[in-house]
């Protein structure tokens, strides 16, 4: 069968060529379609960033207006989809609802969403970006027993999400510019990250010819795990444990270093970044200025800073080149916005949706694309005989 090289966790294998996102892990560089993440975080709206990732360039005024129209027109869910919400148990995890609903969208969405031509694809992309947000907010409303809110056409993407999360039929939620700005930036920073676990999953599923919704739903499930998107929840749980006095930052780090417990320092470490994660640097500053602007304090931010300082000065983390990643400070921002903890990974998924769509398109557009089919090194038993049940 030829010689097969084992590359555990694909640490050294390029699985594809891609023109979407560039990372230099040594220098802490991240660019979407060539544009530095720092510029995008400062200046760009989430939707503009989504268009950049998916269509290759920042939109001009006409393209932006057309996509805005598509997003608005496709932001509501088919009435029948409410039956699905009603069928989930009250304590269902929002990630389970999100992945199931995105899969179900394939059955409910308009028939012209066949993604075969450019027009159909633009429609499907807009529909998915708009509806992921609507589903997330609706699952929260169902969970707390409040009426599901309709999207509004006059609000920005981030503001509309906050409206669907926190408004009531008789009371519109009023956000502040700081909150809308922070949420927009959070989404921009999460929009793509080349071949991470969930995006590779989307590409793999797409490579079999599966449709956009099926592929993205698979990405949501891959994101759910604690080592990936689930880390943003896990960081807050870790900081809360310390805050409640169950552990001090030093004791927590001792437990991590001990290795017997299998406890990790959540929000630290990255496969590619070896000196710093540029997203973490931006989010740390943003958490600070957002809390200041809102005149609130969060004890977890102080604990996070203390944990970071101790870890960076500690040989265990320094020698392994472990630094805060995107998930370390993002939860502080989400908490300040008022997003419930079990929705944190859903927020990551809303942000990552444009990236998943861009990668699905890159795979699907490539006429020479082979199906993703990794090899293995078999370590099971050699040939042995089948035994009748009485002899086992
Ligand atoms: N805490 C303690 N030790 C760690 C950590 C950590 N957070 N991360 C890596 N290490 C150790 C690891 O045990 C290994 O030690 P040794 O060489 O002695 O066996 C060494 O550092 C090298 O790490 P690795 O296992 O080769 O790292 P990886 O590239 O396989 O995994 C990671 C990357 C992000 C999954 C890992 O760093 C981790 O588990 N971090 C905590 C979870 C987390 O924050 N995830 C979010 C990642 S960023 C955004 C996203 O993708 O969602």
């Amino acid at each position: 069968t030829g010689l097969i090289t084992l590359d555990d966790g694909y640490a050294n294998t390029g699985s594809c060529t891609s023109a979407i996102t560039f990372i230099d892990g040594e220098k802490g560089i991240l660019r979407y379609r060539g544009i530095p993440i720092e510029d995008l975080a400062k200046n760009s709206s989430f939707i503009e960033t989504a268009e950049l990732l998916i269509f290759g360039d920042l939109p001009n005024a006409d393209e932006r207006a057309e996509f805005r129209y598509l997003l608005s027109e496709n932001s509501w869910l088919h009435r029948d989809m409410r039956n699905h919400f009603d069928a989930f148990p009250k304590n269902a995890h929002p990630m389970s609802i999100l992945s199931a609903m995105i899969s179900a969208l394939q059955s409910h969405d308009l028939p012209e969403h066949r993604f075969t031509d450019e027009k159909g694809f633009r429609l499907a992309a807009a529909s998915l970006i708009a509806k992921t947000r609507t589903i997330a907010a609706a699952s929260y409303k169902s969970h707390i027993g409040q009426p599901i809110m309709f999207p509004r056409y006059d609000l920005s993407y981030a503001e509309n999400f906050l409206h669907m999360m926190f408004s009531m039929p008789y009371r519109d939620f009023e956000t502040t510019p700081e909150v809308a700005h922070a949420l927009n930036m959070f989404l921009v920073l999460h929009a793509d990250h080349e071949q991470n676990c969930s995006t590779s999953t989307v590409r793999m599923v797409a490579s079999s010819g599966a449709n956009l919704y099926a592929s993205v739903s698979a990405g949501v499930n891959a994101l759910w795990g604690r080592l990936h998107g689930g880390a943003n929840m896990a960081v807050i749980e870790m900081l809360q444990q310390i805050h409640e006095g169950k552990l001090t930052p030093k004791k927590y780090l001792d437990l991590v270093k001990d290795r017997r417990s299998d406890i990790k320092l959540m929000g630290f470490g990255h496969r590619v970044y070896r000196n710093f994660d540029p997203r973490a640097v931006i989010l740390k500053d943003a958490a600070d200025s957002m809390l200041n602007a809102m005149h609130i304090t969060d004890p977890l931010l102080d604990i996070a800073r203390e944990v970071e300082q101790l870890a960076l000065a500690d040989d265990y983390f320094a020698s392994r080149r472990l630094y805060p990643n995107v998930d370390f400070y993002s939860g502080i921002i989400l908490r300040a916005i008022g997003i419930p903890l079990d929705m944190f990974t859903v927020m990551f998924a809303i942000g990552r949706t444009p990236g998943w769509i861009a990668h699905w398109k890159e795979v699907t557009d490539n006429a020479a694309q082979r199906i993703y089919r990794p090899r293995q090194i078999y370590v099971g038993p050699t040939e042995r005989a089948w035994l009748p049940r009485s002899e086992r």
Side-chain angles (χ1 to χ4, degrees), residues 123-139:
L123 188 57
S127 176
L128 193 48
I129 291 171
K131 287 193 173 83
T132 301
R133 171 197 56 183
T134 308
I135 291 169
S139 70

Side-chain angles (χ1 to χ4, degrees), residues 11 193 196-197 223 225-232 235 256-257 259 263-272 274 277 279 316-317 320-322 325-328 348 352:
H193 213 234
N196 58 86
C197 177
L223 186 72
R226 283 169 73 85
L227 297 186
H228 193 8
N232 62 9
V235 168
V256 172
K257 292 190 289 181
R259 302 287 287 251
I263 294 181
K264 283 192 161 173
L265 178 52
M266 301 313 288
F268 254 66
H270 197 274
R271 174 65 60 79
V272 187
R274 292 301 173 186
D277 178 340
R279 302 167 301 173
Y316 174 97
F317 300 95
R320 289 173 177 78
R321 305 178 75 186
L322 303 172
N325 60 46
V326 69
D327 294 315
F328 198 69
F348 193 147
R352 187 54 56 87

